[in-house]
Every structure is written in structure tokens, then in C-alpha cells.
Amino acid sequence: AVDESELLTVPDGWKEPAFTREDNPKGLLEESSFATLFPKYREAYLKECWPLVQKALGEHYVNAALDLIEGSMTVTTTKKTFDPYAIIRARDLIKLLARSVPFEQVFRILQDDVACDIIKIGSLVRKRETFIKRRARLLGPKGSTLKALELLTNCYIMVQGNTVSALGPFSGLKEVRKVVLDTMKNIHPIYNIKTLMIKRELAKDPELRTQSWERFLPKFKRKNLKKRKEPKKKNTKKEYTPFPPPQPESQIDKELASGEYFLKERQKKRKQMEEIKAKQADAVKRRQEERNKAFIPPKEKPAVKTKKASTEKKIDIEVIKEKVKNAKKKKLGALPEEEVKLKMAADEKKKKKK
């Protein structure tokens, strides 16, 4: 009897055997080819590294052609090609080269345990400004977020324009795609990075391999953002009326209503002059008031009443008089009476001894 859990798991260090010429000795019947365009700014780099590309693909008997006039790269199988999947790997190789991935990383795609994934992120966000902010969030400050993601997934990630190119093992590519799509959906990549770190530690324990990891993984709740601030000026819609708005009064209608229409030219000019003089008088008055403000004295603060000296402690005059008398008796620099007596006694003792 064999345990079912052992059948479902892949043993450690197991690798699929490499595909050799013995597996397909007669080769391929038909010629297959793939082509891709590349931008103008990649032309100089592709010129330099193209001999290396041809050498790497030549080991798998796949031809590569670079057309600088048309701006395209083409890969085709030959009669010697025995691996049918080699042309698919060559197609991925030229796609990655066209998306600014360096050749030092690209040639790894020809290995059996390495795959690639090109994630299109250009159409996931409507506004261009929001798209640029979220793409920058994926990179992080000085590329730190992207570097952490590369270390946790063992993948090489290249963010270029409207696409994200990833190169690495299948399990890592799955995680990279999830993180990239979540970032474009306004979920910060740091949450997914924390989850990946916990999964990495749990994978080291052989007892937990067959168990569910849901209890260990963190669950991040979405915080509801504050309501949008209401504008100061609200545009309220007016009630719909089938009738057109009233026609505005013309200048003649206004003059007829006020009676100016029937005045003579001299009277009109006089009235205009009076209005101008009235406006000037108001302006002079306002200016004078502004100037007079500087001469208005400020309001003084009310004076604080001083508290009367407390007469609770009565002064003893007799004690002061005695102190003054004692001070008068003493000579300046004279010793006190007790010290004088001690000094006299010491002098008498000295005389007796002599």
C-alpha cells in the first residue's frame, strides 16, 4: 500500500530528462517561423548582441535573421532541428529582446525549467496619470519593491512602457502576474510581498507541505476612504420650464422707465456730472476715514488695584531699640566679650609658667 500524499508530491531534486536527438532522430517535416517588430531605439543594442543571439540559437539548430530596414527579427527552423519546442523558445527570446530585456537574461529562456510571461498593463487603468502612479508603485523607491519581488519569486522582471516582462520558473511567474495585476487594481504590492515571505518560510517545513496555509497567511482588510469633500459652490439645476426666459431690457427701455429719454443733452450731461461728483465725494470721505484711523488712541487696559500691605504682623519697636544699643557699644573690628575673656585667661597662664 502506497500513501496517496506521496504520489501527489514531486520528490526533491527531481528533474525532467532533457529532450535529445535520440527522442526525435528524423527531425521536423515542415519549416516553422516567427517574426516580431522592435522599436527604433533598440536597433543599436540588437546590432551589438545579434552574433551572440545567432550562436545561442545555433546550438538548437534554429536560424535567426535581423532586418534593420523593416525593423523586425525572424527565427526559423532548419532540417537539423530535432526539438519541436525550440522554435517556441526562440519566439519568446526575440519577443523579450524587443521589450528591452538584456541578452544576459534572455538566453536563459532556452533552458527547460525557465519560461517567460509578458503582462499587458496598458489597458487596465483608464486615466494615464493613475496608470503612471501605479506603475511607479510597482517599481518602488529606487526599484526596491521590484528587487524584493525578484528575490521572492526567483524571476527577472522588466517594466517597460505598457508591458511587464517576467523570466523565471513557472511557479514564480504565477506569483508575478498576480502581484502586477493587483497593483494595477490599486492593491499595494507590499501586501503580496508579505504573503510571499510567509509562504517562503512555510515551504521550509516538510510537515506543513500537505496542510492548508490559510491560517498562517495575513488577511488585509480594505479601508474605506473618507467621503469626497463637497465643493463650496454647488451647481444646482434649475427647474425646467417650457417658456423661454424674459427678454432683457434694452438701454432705451431703461431710459424710458427712469425718464432720462425725454431730457435734453445739457440736462443729461449735468446729471452725469452730478453722479461723478457724488462718487468722488464718497471716495474722498472713505479715504479720510482710513487716514483718521491712525490717530484714534487705543483703548487702555483697566489699572490693576494694588493690594494693601498686611498689617497683621506688628513691629516690636522695643526689640529694635535694644539691637541698636548693642551695635553702638561694639567697636568696629572688636571681638565679642566671650572671646576677649578667653584670650585674657590664656595670657595669664603664659605669664605664670614663665
Short mmCIF file of all heavy atoms in Angstrom, two decimals, residues 36 38 42-51 53-54 63-75 94 97:
data_model
loop_
_atom_site.label_atom_id
_atom_site.label_comp_id
_atom_site.label_asym_id
_atom_site.label_seq_id
_atom_site.Cartn_x
_atom_site.Cartn_y
_atom_site.Cartn_z
N THR A 36 8.93 39.23 -35.24
CA THR A 36 8.42 40.29 -34.36
C THR A 36 9.12 41.60 -34.70
O THR A 36 10.30 41.61 -35.10
CB THR A 36 8.62 39.93 -32.88
OG1 THR A 36 8.02 40.91 -32.06
CG2 THR A 36 10.09 39.84 -32.51
N PHE A 38 10.58 45.44 -33.66
CA PHE A 38 11.23 46.06 -32.49
C PHE A 38 11.29 47.58 -32.70
O PHE A 38 11.34 48.05 -33.84
CB PHE A 38 12.64 45.49 -32.27
CG PHE A 38 13.59 45.69 -33.42
CD1 PHE A 38 14.33 46.86 -33.54
CD2 PHE A 38 13.75 44.71 -34.39
CE1 PHE A 38 15.21 47.04 -34.58
CE2 PHE A 38 14.62 44.89 -35.44
CZ PHE A 38 15.35 46.06 -35.54
N ARG A 42 15.98 50.28 -30.03
CA ARG A 42 16.63 49.01 -29.72
C ARG A 42 17.59 48.57 -30.82
O ARG A 42 18.29 47.57 -30.68
CB ARG A 42 15.56 47.92 -29.53
CG ARG A 42 14.72 48.08 -28.29
CD ARG A 42 15.48 47.81 -27.03
NE ARG A 42 15.82 46.40 -26.87
CZ ARG A 42 16.70 45.96 -25.98
NH1 ARG A 42 17.34 46.81 -25.21
NH2 ARG A 42 16.95 44.67 -25.86
N GLU A 43 17.64 49.33 -31.90
CA GLU A 43 18.42 48.92 -33.07
C GLU A 43 19.91 48.80 -32.75
O GLU A 43 20.56 47.81 -33.10
CB GLU A 43 18.19 49.93 -34.20
CG GLU A 43 18.78 49.51 -35.53
CD GLU A 43 18.48 50.51 -36.63
OE1 GLU A 43 17.33 50.99 -36.70
OE2 GLU A 43 19.41 50.80 -37.41
N ALA A 44 20.45 49.80 -32.07
CA ALA A 44 21.90 49.81 -31.77
C ALA A 44 22.28 48.63 -30.88
O ALA A 44 23.31 47.97 -31.10
CB ALA A 44 22.28 51.12 -31.09
N TYR A 45 21.47 48.33 -29.87
CA TYR A 45 21.77 47.22 -28.95
C TYR A 45 21.68 45.88 -29.67
O TYR A 45 22.52 44.99 -29.47
CB TYR A 45 20.82 47.25 -27.75
CG TYR A 45 21.07 46.16 -26.75
CD1 TYR A 45 22.12 46.25 -25.84
CD2 TYR A 45 20.28 45.00 -26.72
CE1 TYR A 45 22.37 45.23 -24.93
CE2 TYR A 45 20.53 43.99 -25.82
CZ TYR A 45 21.57 44.11 -24.93
OH TYR A 45 21.83 43.10 -24.03
N LEU A 46 20.65 45.72 -30.50
CA LEU A 46 20.47 44.44 -31.21
C LEU A 46 21.60 44.17 -32.21
O LEU A 46 21.99 43.02 -32.41
CB LEU A 46 19.12 44.44 -31.93
CG LEU A 46 17.87 44.38 -31.04
CD1 LEU A 46 16.62 44.60 -31.84
CD2 LEU A 46 17.80 43.05 -30.30
N LYS A 47 22.12 45.24 -32.82
CA LYS A 47 23.28 45.09 -33.71
C LYS A 47 24.47 44.47 -32.98
O LYS A 47 25.17 43.60 -33.49
CB LYS A 47 23.69 46.47 -34.25
CG LYS A 47 23.04 46.85 -35.57
CD LYS A 47 23.66 48.17 -36.02
CE LYS A 47 22.94 48.72 -37.22
NZ LYS A 47 23.50 50.03 -37.60
N GLU A 48 24.70 44.97 -31.75
CA GLU A 48 25.86 44.50 -30.96
C GLU A 48 25.70 43.04 -30.53
O GLU A 48 26.63 42.25 -30.64
CB GLU A 48 26.03 45.39 -29.73
CG GLU A 48 26.51 46.79 -30.04
CD GLU A 48 26.63 47.64 -28.80
OE1 GLU A 48 26.50 47.10 -27.68
OE2 GLU A 48 26.85 48.87 -28.93
N CYS A 49 24.50 42.70 -30.02
CA CYS A 49 24.32 41.37 -29.42
C CYS A 49 23.81 40.32 -30.40
O CYS A 49 23.63 39.15 -30.00
CB CYS A 49 23.39 41.46 -28.21
SG CYS A 49 21.68 41.76 -28.64
N TRP A 50 23.57 40.68 -31.66
CA TRP A 50 22.99 39.70 -32.60
C TRP A 50 23.89 38.49 -32.87
O TRP A 50 23.39 37.37 -32.95
CB TRP A 50 22.60 40.38 -33.92
CG TRP A 50 21.64 39.55 -34.71
CD1 TRP A 50 21.87 38.91 -35.88
CD2 TRP A 50 20.30 39.24 -34.35
NE1 TRP A 50 20.75 38.23 -36.29
CE2 TRP A 50 19.76 38.42 -35.35
CE3 TRP A 50 19.49 39.59 -33.27
CZ2 TRP A 50 18.47 37.93 -35.32
CZ3 TRP A 50 18.19 39.11 -33.21
CH2 TRP A 50 17.69 38.29 -34.23
N PRO A 51 25.22 38.65 -32.98
CA PRO A 51 26.07 37.44 -33.13
C PRO A 51 25.90 36.46 -31.98
O PRO A 51 25.91 35.24 -32.19
CB PRO A 51 27.49 38.01 -33.17
CG PRO A 51 27.33 39.42 -33.61
CD PRO A 51 26.03 39.88 -33.08
N VAL A 53 23.16 36.10 -30.19
CA VAL A 53 21.82 35.50 -30.35
C VAL A 53 21.89 34.35 -31.36
O VAL A 53 21.34 33.26 -31.13
CB VAL A 53 20.79 36.57 -30.81
CG1 VAL A 53 19.45 35.94 -31.15
CG2 VAL A 53 20.62 37.64 -29.74
N GLN A 54 22.58 34.59 -32.47
CA GLN A 54 22.71 33.55 -33.51
C GLN A 54 23.47 32.32 -32.99
O GLN A 54 23.11 31.19 -33.30
CB GLN A 54 23.42 34.13 -34.73
CG GLN A 54 22.54 35.07 -35.55
CD GLN A 54 23.28 35.66 -36.72
OE1 GLN A 54 24.48 35.96 -36.64
NE2 GLN A 54 22.58 35.85 -37.84
N ASN A 63 17.65 29.12 -37.06
CA ASN A 63 18.24 30.29 -37.72
C ASN A 63 17.57 31.57 -37.23
O ASN A 63 16.36 31.59 -36.95
CB ASN A 63 18.06 30.19 -39.24
CG ASN A 63 19.00 29.18 -39.85
OD1 ASN A 63 20.03 28.85 -39.27
ND2 ASN A 63 18.65 28.66 -41.02
N ALA A 64 18.36 32.66 -37.15
CA ALA A 64 17.84 33.97 -36.73
C ALA A 64 18.30 35.02 -37.72
O ALA A 64 19.46 35.04 -38.13
CB ALA A 64 18.35 34.32 -35.33
N ALA A 65 17.34 35.92 -38.12
CA ALA A 65 17.65 36.98 -39.08
C ALA A 65 17.18 38.32 -38.53
O ALA A 65 16.09 38.42 -37.96
CB ALA A 65 16.96 36.70 -40.41
N LEU A 66 18.04 39.34 -38.71
CA LEU A 66 17.73 40.69 -38.25
C LEU A 66 17.58 41.61 -39.45
O LEU A 66 18.53 41.77 -40.23
CB LEU A 66 18.86 41.20 -37.32
CG LEU A 66 18.73 42.63 -36.79
CD1 LEU A 66 17.56 42.75 -35.83
CD2 LEU A 66 20.02 43.05 -36.09
N ASP A 67 16.41 42.21 -39.60
CA ASP A 67 16.13 43.12 -40.72
C ASP A 67 16.03 44.54 -40.17
O ASP A 67 15.02 44.92 -39.55
CB ASP A 67 14.83 42.72 -41.41
CG ASP A 67 14.62 43.49 -42.72
OD1 ASP A 67 15.39 44.44 -42.96
OD2 ASP A 67 13.68 43.15 -43.47
N LEU A 68 17.10 45.33 -40.38
CA LEU A 68 17.13 46.69 -39.85
C LEU A 68 16.28 47.65 -40.66
O LEU A 68 15.83 48.68 -40.15
CB LEU A 68 18.58 47.20 -39.79
CG LEU A 68 19.52 46.43 -38.85
CD1 LEU A 68 20.94 46.94 -39.02
CD2 LEU A 68 19.08 46.54 -37.41
N ILE A 69 16.08 47.37 -41.94
CA ILE A 69 15.28 48.25 -42.80
C ILE A 69 13.81 48.17 -42.39
O ILE A 69 13.13 49.17 -42.19
CB ILE A 69 15.45 47.87 -44.30
CG1 ILE A 69 16.92 48.07 -44.70
CG2 ILE A 69 14.52 48.70 -45.18
CD1 ILE A 69 17.30 47.40 -45.99
N GLU A 70 13.32 46.95 -42.24
CA GLU A 70 11.93 46.75 -41.84
C GLU A 70 11.75 46.90 -40.32
O GLU A 70 10.66 47.21 -39.85
CB GLU A 70 11.48 45.34 -42.27
CG GLU A 70 9.98 45.10 -42.17
CD GLU A 70 9.61 43.68 -42.52
OE1 GLU A 70 10.44 42.97 -43.12
OE2 GLU A 70 8.48 43.28 -42.19
N GLY A 71 12.82 46.66 -39.57
CA GLY A 71 12.77 46.74 -38.10
C GLY A 71 12.13 45.50 -37.51
O GLY A 71 11.23 45.60 -36.67
N SER A 72 12.60 44.31 -37.94
CA SER A 72 12.00 43.06 -37.46
C SER A 72 13.06 42.01 -37.21
O SER A 72 14.17 42.08 -37.74
CB SER A 72 10.99 42.54 -38.50
OG SER A 72 11.67 42.17 -39.68
N MET A 73 12.71 41.01 -36.38
CA MET A 73 13.56 39.85 -36.10
C MET A 73 12.77 38.59 -36.47
O MET A 73 11.57 38.50 -36.16
CB MET A 73 13.92 39.80 -34.62
CG MET A 73 14.84 40.92 -34.17
SD MET A 73 15.20 40.82 -32.41
CE MET A 73 13.71 41.49 -31.71
N THR A 74 13.44 37.65 -37.13
CA THR A 74 12.77 36.42 -37.59
C THR A 74 13.57 35.21 -37.14
O THR A 74 14.82 35.21 -37.21
CB THR A 74 12.65 36.41 -39.12
OG1 THR A 74 12.15 37.67 -39.55
CG2 THR A 74 11.73 35.31 -39.61
N VAL A 75 12.86 34.17 -36.67
CA VAL A 75 13.51 32.90 -36.30
C VAL A 75 12.82 31.78 -37.09
O VAL A 75 11.59 31.76 -37.22
CB VAL A 75 13.43 32.62 -34.79
CG1 VAL A 75 14.38 33.49 -34.02
CG2 VAL A 75 12.02 32.80 -34.25
N ILE A 94 13.04 36.44 -29.01
CA ILE A 94 13.02 37.69 -29.79
C ILE A 94 11.96 38.66 -29.27
O ILE A 94 12.11 39.87 -29.36
CB ILE A 94 12.82 37.40 -31.31
CG1 ILE A 94 11.52 36.65 -31.59
CG2 ILE A 94 14.02 36.67 -31.87
CD1 ILE A 94 11.20 36.48 -33.07
N LEU A 97 13.65 40.37 -26.32
CA LEU A 97 14.65 41.32 -26.81
C LEU A 97 14.01 42.61 -27.29
O LEU A 97 14.55 43.70 -27.10
CB LEU A 97 15.47 40.70 -27.94
CG LEU A 97 16.60 39.75 -27.55
CD1 LEU A 97 17.18 39.10 -28.79
CD2 LEU A 97 17.70 40.48 -26.78
#
